[in-house]
Amino acid sequence: METTYVMIKPDGVQRGLIAEIMGRFERKGLKLVGLKSVVPSQEIAETHYEVHNERPFYPGLIKFVTSGPVVCMAWSGKDAITVARTLIGATNGREANPGTIRGDFGMDMGFNMIHGSDAPETAAFELGLWFPEGLMEWDQTITAWVYE
Ligand code: IDP
Ligand code: MG
């Protein structure tokens, strides 16, 4: 089992898409092991997007992600990182496949509503950053009906 960090960004919250987006992860069969909503500090936003700090869009990205509440989630399951990225879709909503979150609700590169870790190392880094308090350990009884 793998755990990934997923975050609804301020545009997803502003547009009233929290339940719609969370519901997709729930219905897929992923298990929720971390959940909270915060207005990100400058520091946490800069650390989260450190890999992009040389890119021209970086200042705007930090301003955007610190502009209001985000929903921080940790989802676990088999290949959870890839499964979450598949549910999320391509970075630019105009190019993302229908059926994906960005494909169904997005029209832009900057306002793409959601973040998902892209590899095991980034997932570990991001989970530690956003959930320093740790994650929930619990038995989900439906798991027996999700995996053969
Ligand atoms: P990802 O979220 O699909 O992994 P990345 O390339 O890692 O996409 O970029 C991180 C985030 O930075 C994107 O989700 C988007 O919010 C923002 N971003 C990336 N490229 C651009 C751009 O060209 N203009 C504005 N924002 C961008
Ligand atoms: Mg990325």
Side-chain angles (χ1 to χ4, degrees), residues 39-61:
V39 178
S41 65
Q42 185 80 11
E43 189 187 3
I44 200 167
E46 286 178 359
T47 307
H48 176 82
Y49 282 121
E50 215 159 45
V51 292
H52 295 304
N53 68 8
E54 301 293 321
R55 310 280 283 275
F57 60 80
Y58 179 77
L61 178 60

Side-chain angles (χ1 to χ4, degrees), residues 9 49 51-52 55-58 60-61 64 85 88-92 102 108-118:
K9 301 183 195 178
Y49 282 121
V51 292
H52 295 304
R55 310 280 283 275
F57 60 80
Y58 179 77
L61 178 60
F64 160 59
R85 296 275 294 186
I88 290 168
T91 309
N92 186 335
R102 288 167 174 169
D108 200 78
M109 184 81 149
F111 288 168
N112 61 11
M113 295 159 294
I114 183 162
H115 166 85
S117 307
D118 61 8

